[in-house]
Structures are given as structure tokens and as C-alpha cells.
Amino acid sequence: MSRSKNVAVWLIWLAVFPTTLAYLYIAIEPNFSGYWLDLLAFAIVVSAVAAFPIQVGSITIFFINGVSFAVFLYFGLFAEIIITQLALVALFIKIRLKKSEFHRIATNSTMLLLTSIFAAVVYYALGGTHGVLSLSTLDEIIPLVGYVVGSIVVNQFLLTIIDVYVKGNKFTAVPKSLFIDSLTTAMITPIGIILYILYLEIGIPGILIVSFPAILLSVVISTYHKGRRVNTYLHETSEIGHELSKKLNVKDVLDTFIARVEKLIPMSYIYVYDITNSTQSMHLIRYVDSEGKEKVDEMSLSYGEGFAGEIYKKQKASIILKRNQIRSIPGIELPEQVHSVIGVPILRNNNVVGVLVIASKQVRAYEKYHLMLLEILGNFLSVAIENARHYQSEKNKSQRDRLTGLYNYRYFTEHLEGYALDLMEKGLEEKLSVILFDLDSFKKLNDTYGHEAGNEVLVELARRLEDYLGDRGIVARYGGEEFTVLIKDIEHEEAIKLAEDIRFMIAKDPFVVYEHMIEGEDSVKVYVTASIGVATYPDHCESPEELIRQADRSMYVGAKRSGKNRVASAAVAM
């Protein structure tokens, strides 16, 4: 809630609550002489009932209607207002109201006050009275019904105002709270009537007799609802596990995990650490805050350092709900605003391979079931990351050249064919160019310096090609000392110029090799040149599949046979 709304809510409360309460006291002149013990018993019961609320979405339900109804029937409006306000205090103490939610004291207090007054006005307008009632005639039953219906109507009206104008939510003609309010009132009102009748008959013992089932009902419903909520979360957790298992790379796994966890567990910050057990160091591989911002700075922790480091060291999940305890952790890595934090180790084969931390700016933001959910999610995350890395490893083995790390010939040809087919199916016209080159006199280099030196040259060349081309083209090792580059959507003349740049880049700087056969030298500088052929579709062939053949032909006919260390175009070679 904005600061201006927060101030407005409290100003309304200060203007309405004390004044109205004082006016009612003067107007009604309540006299509770001889009944203070009775009212104390009612207050204890209503506070006990309020201590077991249930949460349905953003709606907090506490079953005090029955007790307050009985108090109203016998003692009147002023006593009922005091009792409901005491119940509200008990509720907020029980749920440990956060500082950011203090406005709820003002809104709920005002709402209960106005609901009590409006329902009482309806009751009095229909001829209702207080004290000893038989509740057996229409003259007494009709005011009761009016009181119940009136309280529901005004309560829903005030809830709508708060929801729309205070919380800024969209107006709903038939809100969910109407059904919940009506249902709970239908359940609790009979208990209130029974409480009233027993109180008339036997006094305080009647309050105690009815209070036990009333409190028990609150406990049962609250426990049942909490169990249902945990089961719902467990179901959602299972769905997250299934969704993660379908992701085939680590980035997608982490993106999906964080997007789903943000909706399941309250958070201001999420940290995912990867652990290198050989050095006992932790590296932050993903960080997101509640505004969706990702941390760009690298962050590392050592064994036992900070909150995450302690989890790594102890290999146990942890939850801390006090800011002073968080700040007392040596080397704490969490922001100053954090008031609650939970963290779990990510295990694989009983070894800690990562740490998952979720922190909140809210006080006491987490319960034990949040920790349980996070432990389950941590296991799912561990399996998903391992599967994604295994898949990526196997994929790299099938697509990458083991020596240079470049794409292999199989991937290059499959990608070219697939891309060309996609263009054809979409009816798009796009030029594709292949630059194919072969290192000149590479056999002589191997004979002079050894095959290990030749491999060093190939590895260094692969690095240079990737650094130079970046995302402008797809580089592959064609086989042996031959390499190919696929360039998309450029004219043939531009492709020739790029090939010339590659030829110059290879020839101008020597390759330094260390694993050579020259005695007495730690390293040797080797100069290498390349013969290059270029072909472009549709300029030089009728289908993209012919590109490699045309580029290969232009390289041998136009470059190799013409003196090497040069670029040849398929247009000339043809």
C-alpha cells in the first residue's frame, strides 16, 4: 500500500473509531454491574476462537460471529463492539501482523465497528430487543434474521471498498468473500443461538460448555484448511518437478524453477549457488529479486561463509525469522533489508552440489512447511540440472568436434539442410553463403613439428575463428585441416570480403606451439596460410544442399591450384 493511502486509512480510523465509540457509550449508557465476570468469560472465549483463523487467498476468516452474536442479544451493541475488537486484537497477535500490514488494524477495526452498528440498526428497526428472549415468536426471529443479513451486506460492502479503493483490485460484482461470509455465518449463527440460550439457563457454565465445541470447531477447520493448503502446495511442487524434467538445458531449468517458485513461496530474493567441491567454493549461478532484476556481478562464497556457506558446511536446511540473527552470521551475503530467510542444500548422491536460498523483507515470512516445500524443490532442481547437463554433454558429443570444440561436419550439414527446408516451407528467399577453407601444407607442418603441434594449431585456429566471427556465422570443422563457415543473408561480394578477412587473420599472426619436436625450444612460432573457396545460394547452385560442393570445388580449382593462400569464388571456379 502507498504511503498516502496508509495515512488516509489511519486518519479515517482516528476520525471514526474513537468518536463513534465515545458517542455510543454516552448514548447507550451501558451498565454491566454484576456481569463483569460473564463478559470476561465471553472475551476469553472469543479471543480463543480468533486465535485459529484460516486464510483463503487474501481473506482471513475467524469464527467469532457466534460468540459476538450471543453477547449482542443479551448485553447490546456496545458490549458486542468491545468483544469483536478484542477478538481482532487476538487475531493480529496470533498471525503476527507484519509492519507493512499495520494498516489492517485500522481497516478491520473500522469495518467491524461499522458492521456492528449497521446490523444493530437493522435489528432495532425490526423491533429487536436485548436481555431475556424466548426466540420462539416471529417478533423476535425476524430481527435476528435482519441482524444476520444486515451484517453480511454491510460487511461485503465495506470489503469491496477496501479491496477496490485501498488495495487497488478490480471490482467484482459477486466477490468470493460473499460466499465465504454467508457460509461461515450459516455455520456459526446456530452456535451463537445455543450459546445465548445456555447462558440464559445456567450462566457462565453455559459459556464454557459451548465454548469448547466452538473453539474445537475453529481448531478443526483451521487445521483442515492448513492441511488442504499444504496438499495444494505439494501438488504444485510435483507439477514443478514434472515441468523441470522436460527442460533440456540448465538455463531453461533455472528460469522455469524461479518463475514457479516465485508464485509458490513468498520471496524478495532468490539465490542459486553451484558448488565446486574440489575447492569448496560456491558460485552464484542465478539471482533474481522480487522486481525481476538479475544480479550481474559475480558472487562467490567459501565453505562456511555467510548464510549459504553455513548450509553448505552443515549440510542441513535452515530457517531464520529474526533480522538480528541474520545479521550476526559471519560474512553474511544477504541485503540489509532481509528479515526472514530459508535455505536448503541441493544434494546429489548424498553430496552437496549446490545451495538454494530464498529471502524476504517481511518479518516471519516463512513457516516450517515452506522449508519442507523448498527441500522437495531443491531435490527436483538437482535432478533437473543433472539431467540437463547430461543431455547437453551427450548433445555436444554428437554435434561438436572433440579436439576444437567447433560444430562437426554432421551438425553443419544437418543445420544447413534444416534451415534451407524451413525457408522453403515459409516461402522465404534468403541468400546463404558457405566459406570453406583448407590449411596449406598442413602435412608438412605435422611432419616438421609433430601431430601434437598440428593439433595445437587447429585448436588455436578454432578459437580465433569463433572470436572473430562471433554470431555472424556458424563455424564447423569439416574434417582434418578443413573448416567451413555458414553465413546467412548477405550478398556474395560481402561473403568474399569476409573470406578475405579470415584468410588475412590466419596468415598475419603466427601460431605458437609448445608440444613440438624441435629440441632446445620451449615454444615455436608457426606461420600458417589457408586456401578458401566461397559459394552462395542461389547465385551458384539450385539448392542449398549443393553449396558445400560448390565451395569445395572453388577452393581446390580456384585457390589451391592457383598458388594457395587465396580466396576463390564459385563464380570464377565454375
Side-chain angles (χ1 to χ4, degrees):
M1 179 188 289
S2 66
R3 182 178 179 84
S4 58
K5 284 185 178 180
N6 197 26
V7 171
V9 164
W10 279 105
L11 287 176
I12 291 172
W13 182 85
L14 286 171
V16 172
F17 190 85
T19 307
T20 304
L21 204 62
Y23 171 78
L24 290 174
Y25 183 82
I26 294 170
I28 297 173
E29 296 183 353
N31 183 8
F32 304 130
S33 298
Y35 290 100
W36 290 109
L37 195 58
D38 303 54
L39 288 171
L40 178 61
F42 276 115
I44 292 172
V45 171
V46 80
S47 298
V49 171
F52 297 96
I54 65 172
Q55 192 74 28
V56 181
S58 60
I59 305 168
T60 302
I61 304 169
F62 57 130
F63 304 98
I64 65 166
N65 309 55
V67 181
S68 63
F69 186 40
V71 171
F72 174 79
L73 289 179
Y74 193 84
F75 294 101
L77 175 60
F78 192 82
E80 190 262 347
I81 289 174
I82 299 301
I83 287 292
T84 54
Q85 295 296 322
L86 286 174
L88 190 63
V89 172
L91 170 68
F92 288 147
I93 292 174
K94 169 63 178 181
I95 65 176
R96 296 177 178 179
L97 199 65
K98 302 175 180 65
K99 187 177 180 180
S100 61
E101 297 178 323
F102 278 1
H103 65 274
R104 291 177 59 186
I105 298 173
T107 54
N108 285 273
S109 177
T110 305
M111 185 178 70
L112 285 179
L113 173 69
L114 296 178
T115 300
S116 297
I117 292 173
F118 183 84
V121 168
V122 174
Y123 181 79
Y124 297 142
L126 294 175
T129 59
H130 300 292
V132 180
L133 305 174
S134 64
L135 303 181
S136 59
T137 64
L138 283 177
D139 290 341
E140 293 179 333
I141 293 175
I142 290 175
L144 291 182
V145 175
Y147 177 88
V148 172
V149 173
S151 65
I152 293 174
V153 170
V154 72
N155 191 53
Q156 288 304 307
F157 176 74
L158 294 172
L159 279 174
T160 300
I161 292 176
I162 293 172
D163 200 47
V164 174
Y165 294 103
V166 177
K167 297 182 180 179
N169 295 328
K170 187 178 179 181
F171 172 75
T172 305
V174 184
K176 181 180 180 180
S177 58
L178 176 60
F179 171 76
I180 296 172
D181 199 6
S182 302
L183 181 63
T184 54
T185 301
M187 291 171 54
I188 300 302
T189 299
I191 295 178
I193 293 173
I194 294 171
L195 175 59
Y196 171 73
I197 293 172
L198 278 176
Y199 175 68
L200 290 181
E201 294 295 326
I202 57 177
I204 292 179
I207 300 174
L208 300 177
I209 290 172
V210 177
S211 67
F212 178 76
I215 295 171
L216 183 62
L217 178 64
S218 296
V219 172
V220 170
I221 294 176
S222 177
T223 304
Y224 172 75
H225 179 74
K226 183 176 288 188
R228 284 283 301 272
R229 184 173 57 178
V230 172
N231 286 337
T232 300
Y233 286 155
L234 287 173
H235 178 71
E236 292 182 22
T237 300
S238 177
E239 288 184 348
I240 293 173
H242 286 301
E243 191 172 349
L244 291 178
S245 67
K246 298 175 184 177
K247 303 302 175 182
L248 299 179
N249 66 69
V250 175
K251 181 181 182 302
D252 286 346
V253 168
L254 292 172
D255 288 344
T256 302
F257 178 82
I258 287 175
R260 294 297 301 271
V261 169
E262 282 181 310
K263 299 176 181 178
L264 187 65
I265 299 176
M267 55 76 67
S268 300
Y269 309 93
I270 294 180
Y271 302 79
V272 182
Y273 293 92
D274 192 39
I275 290 177
T276 305
N277 282 308
S278 59
T279 59
Q280 291 191 324
S281 59
M282 305 171 57
H283 303 283
L284 185 65
I285 59 173
R286 185 56 60 90
Y287 162 94
V288 175
D289 66 18
S290 54
E291 297 178 357
K293 297 178 182 177
E294 297 194 11
K295 197 177 187 71
V296 293
D297 299 334
E298 286 191 12
M299 180 171 163
S300 298
L301 296 172
S302 58
Y303 184 76
E305 180 184 7
F307 178 72
E310 282 194 353
I311 291 175
Y312 176 25
K313 182 178 180 180
K314 296 177 181 177
Q315 300 188 21
K316 288 177 60 178
S318 178
I319 178 170
I320 302 178
L321 302 177
K322 293 182 179 180
R323 183 174 174 274
N324 60 339
Q325 290 182 4
I326 296 172
R327 303 320 307 173
S328 66
I329 297 173
I332 185 65
E333 74 280 18
L334 301 172
E336 192 76 27
Q337 313 85 299
V338 170
H339 284 75
S340 307
V341 61
I342 50 176
V344 298
I346 301 174
L347 300 173
R348 188 180 305 138
N349 299 325
N350 293 323
N351 293 319
V352 181
V353 295
V355 173
L356 176 60
V357 175
I358 296 183
S360 174
K361 298 176 184 177
Q362 302 294 335
V363 179
R364 294 181 294 274
Y366 304 116
E367 298 182 38
K368 287 184 179 180
Y369 75 86
H370 286 126
L371 195 62
M372 175 192 70
L373 294 177
L374 201 60
E375 286 185 291
I376 297 172
L377 289 169
N379 291 331
F380 285 145
L381 181 63
S382 171
V383 173
I385 289 178
E386 183 179 18
N387 290 342
R389 283 174 173 167
H390 177 73
Y391 173 81
Q392 199 63 43
S393 173
E394 294 300 314
K395 183 179 177 181
N396 286 339
K397 288 178 183 178
S398 66
Q399 294 182 347
R400 298 279 180 174
D401 174 59
R402 294 190 67 177
L403 175 65
T404 63
L406 297 176
Y407 288 114
N408 56 29
Y409 170 76
R410 175 184 174 183
Y411 173 82
F412 188 86
T413 55
E414 287 179 353
H415 177 78
L416 176 59
E417 292 170 3
Y419 190 78
L421 179 62
D422 187 56
L423 290 176
M424 183 182 70
E425 290 177 346
K426 293 177 180 178
L428 300 175
E429 294 184 2
E430 182 180 302
K431 291 195 174 185
L432 300 174
S433 298
V434 166
I435 300 171
L436 190 149
F437 60 91
D438 178 85
L439 298 184
D440 299 323
S441 305
F442 196 71
K443 181 178 183 304
K444 183 179 177 181
L445 185 151
N446 281 333
D447 292 342
T448 304
Y449 299 103
H451 287 280
E452 289 297 326
N455 286 341
E456 284 187 87
V457 170
L458 295 177
V459 171
E460 173 62 17
L461 176 58
R463 185 192 63 78
R464 290 188 189 182
L465 287 169
E466 287 191 313
D467 290 346
Y468 180 73
L469 290 169
D471 58 0
R472 291 184 293 171
I474 295 175
V475 188
R477 186 183 181 192
Y478 192 69
E481 65 271 22
E482 290 186 326
F483 295 81
T484 56
V485 179
L486 175 63
I487 306 295
K488 301 172 183 177
D489 202 24
I490 66 171
E491 295 296 330
H492 182 62
E493 290 73 17
E494 294 179 74
I496 292 175
K497 183 180 182 306
L498 182 60
E500 279 287 358
D501 292 341
I502 291 173
R503 185 197 64 78
F504 180 73
M505 181 265 294
I506 295 172
K508 72 168 183 173
D509 294 322
F511 290 78
V512 180
V513 297
Y514 298 90
E515 301 295 328
H516 55 80
M517 298 188 303
I518 307 300
E519 295 183 2
E521 299 288 341
D522 291 333
S523 63
V524 175
K525 293 181 179 179
V526 179
Y527 285 89
V528 178
T529 61
S531 298
I532 303 176
V534 185
T536 300
Y537 167 83
D539 298 1
H540 308 125
C541 52
E542 296 181 356
S543 68
E545 289 82 355
E546 297 179 33
L547 265 177
I548 296 176
R549 184 170 61 84
Q550 290 294 340
D552 189 49
R553 182 174 181 274
S554 66
M555 179 189 71
Y556 276 102
V557 175
K560 286 285 187 184
R561 293 180 185 177
S562 300
K564 302 179 181 179
N565 190 24
R566 63 185 60 204
V567 174
S569 167
V572 176
M574 291 172 66

